[in-house]
Amino acid sequence: MTDKTIPAPALPGSANGNPGTAAAHATANVPIVRPDESVDAVLRGLRGRHFSSASVVAVCVDGELRGLATIERILAAPHAATMDAVMDPEPPVVGPGTDQESAAWRAVRHGEPGLAVVDADGRLVGLVPPQRLLEVLLEEHDEDLARMGGFMRDAAAARSATVETVRRRLWHRLPWLAVGLVGAMLSAVLMGAFEAELSANLVVAYFIPGIVYLADAVGTQTEAVAIRGLSVGVGIRRLVAPETLTGLMVGAMLGGLMFAVIVGVWQDPGLAAAVAIATLAASSSAVLVALALPWLLHRLGHDPAFGSGPLATVVQDLLTIVVYFAAVTVLVR
């Protein structure tokens, strides 16, 4: 077993890095061996020595981490086997400044009982032992529960909205609903602008409520996820990609279904294509609007639970009507 090639042991939670980072939980008082050492030599070297954690052995060359070997794999290996044959050459590693929650989850997903902290040159700073990983996960879990229970700042506002008086409920909601009323008037104006298309083919009007409803429904689902995420500290950025992809897939499936039904019942491929395109566009745009508005209101200091719904409904309805009639104008003869 090699001598330590890294600084003196850093006790977990000490000033070894900023609080809340991986380095703050790392310890250098761990077994460190060379890749060419035999399993028998490593086991003999472990006897009679005290380590902060010996569940994982670091395999290093001149302080540079080459791999990690769990004590279970070492005990199960032949005595003559060398450590480079026993170790995991691609273990989970993090930098010293990595957030403690991200670091802990990386170790869990990789299935390792310890986590290596390395600097920019790949030199071992220390290992985060399994007991510290459990403590970090428990701490972060308690923090999330505190947010959900209304004990932290972001969730306290959400909790107050559920217990406020009727007067304050009206004060918080009526201005946003007034904006929705203005949007309803604008929708009527837009419908009037396409009076010629409606007069020429009354069937065009049949699908407006359905497309508008689907856009609102998709948007409402995304709003619920976004607002719930904001209340427990999950940023909108983490939702953009999966929610956008979901909106596209939902729009494509619903649009395809409506296309088949309209062609089968009304024998009008042009109208069917217009409805399918509008459904796809409405579902996709509804997701983006439903993510953008809660984020914007949250950043401006307003409760997104009150304003997101009315504003999103207005914007989604107007976009849906415009896209639908634009498609009808081009495709329906």
Side-chain angles (χ1 to χ4, degrees):
M1 179 171 297
T2 62
D3 294 330
K4 291 186 178 65
T5 56
I6 51 181
L11 295 176
S14 68
N16 185 37
N18 296 326
T21 63
H25 301 284
T27 176
N29 187 23
V30 295
I32 303 172
V33 302
R34 296 187 308 272
D36 58 353
E37 287 191 72
S38 68
V39 167
D40 185 58
V42 170
L43 291 175
R44 283 188 282 105
L46 289 174
R47 295 189 183 97
R49 300 180 62 179
H50 174 76
F51 300 97
S52 297
S53 176
S55 59
V56 179
V57 174
V59 183
C60 300
V61 174
D62 296 328
E64 182 180 347
L65 182 68
R66 296 297 176 86
L68 295 179
T70 63
I71 193 66
E72 292 85 357
R73 294 191 66 181
I74 295 174
L75 291 172
H79 289 289
T82 56
M83 291 303 298
D84 57 356
V86 176
M87 71 181 186
D88 177 1
E90 296 182 358
V93 297
V94 295
T98 302
D99 178 74
Q100 62 179 16
E101 183 176 17
S102 299
W105 278 115
R106 184 162 188 177
V108 171
R109 284 192 292 267
H110 201 279
E112 292 283 4
L115 180 68
V117 181
V118 300
D119 61 19
D121 297 322
R123 295 179 63 85
L124 182 66
V125 174
L127 294 178
V128 182
Q131 65 268 25
R132 291 300 299 167
L133 293 175
L134 289 174
E135 290 174 10
V136 167
L137 291 174
L138 179 61
E139 177 185 333
E140 294 292 339
H141 174 68
D142 289 343
E143 184 177 314
D144 291 341
L145 288 179
R147 283 198 181 97
M148 295 173 67
F151 300 110
M152 299 188 71
R153 179 179 61 84
D154 288 343
R159 183 180 184 277
S160 67
T162 65
V163 297
E164 62 187 4
T165 63
V166 173
R167 181 178 178 180
R168 290 195 61 81
R169 290 171 193 265
L170 291 173
W171 175 255
H172 284 144
R173 300 181 191 188
L174 282 177
W176 300 113
L177 295 175
V179 173
L181 182 61
V182 172
M185 298 299 103
L186 290 176
S187 298
V189 171
L190 278 176
M191 294 283 289
F194 293 97
E195 183 178 359
E197 285 78 5
L198 291 172
S199 300
N201 189 350
L202 186 59
V203 179
V204 168
Y206 295 174
F207 304 99
I208 296 175
I211 299 173
V212 170
Y213 162 76
L214 289 175
D216 290 343
V218 172
T220 299
Q221 291 176 330
T222 301
E223 286 167 25
V225 173
I227 294 172
R228 182 187 299 166
L230 289 172
S231 70
V232 296
V234 177
I236 293 295
R237 291 182 180 179
R238 293 176 61 179
L239 301 175
V240 172
E243 284 294 324
T244 301
L245 180 59
T246 301
L248 285 170
M249 295 177 66
V250 167
M253 289 187 287
L254 292 176
L257 180 60
M258 294 181 75
F259 180 89
V261 171
I262 294 171
V263 169
V265 176
W266 284 276
Q267 285 82 44
D268 191 337
L271 178 60
V275 172
I277 291 172
T279 302
L280 174 60
S283 298
S284 305
S285 62
V287 168
L288 297 177
V289 171
L291 289 174
L293 287 178
W295 173 82
L296 180 60
L297 292 174
H298 185 72
R299 291 295 298 270
L300 294 176
H302 298 290
D303 190 343
F306 292 123
S308 297
L311 280 179
T313 299
V314 169
V315 175
Q316 290 161 9
D317 289 354
L318 294 177
L319 286 174
T320 300
I321 292 172
V322 169
V323 171
Y324 178 53
F325 278 110
V328 167
T329 303
V330 174
L331 298 172
V332 179
R333 303 298 180 188

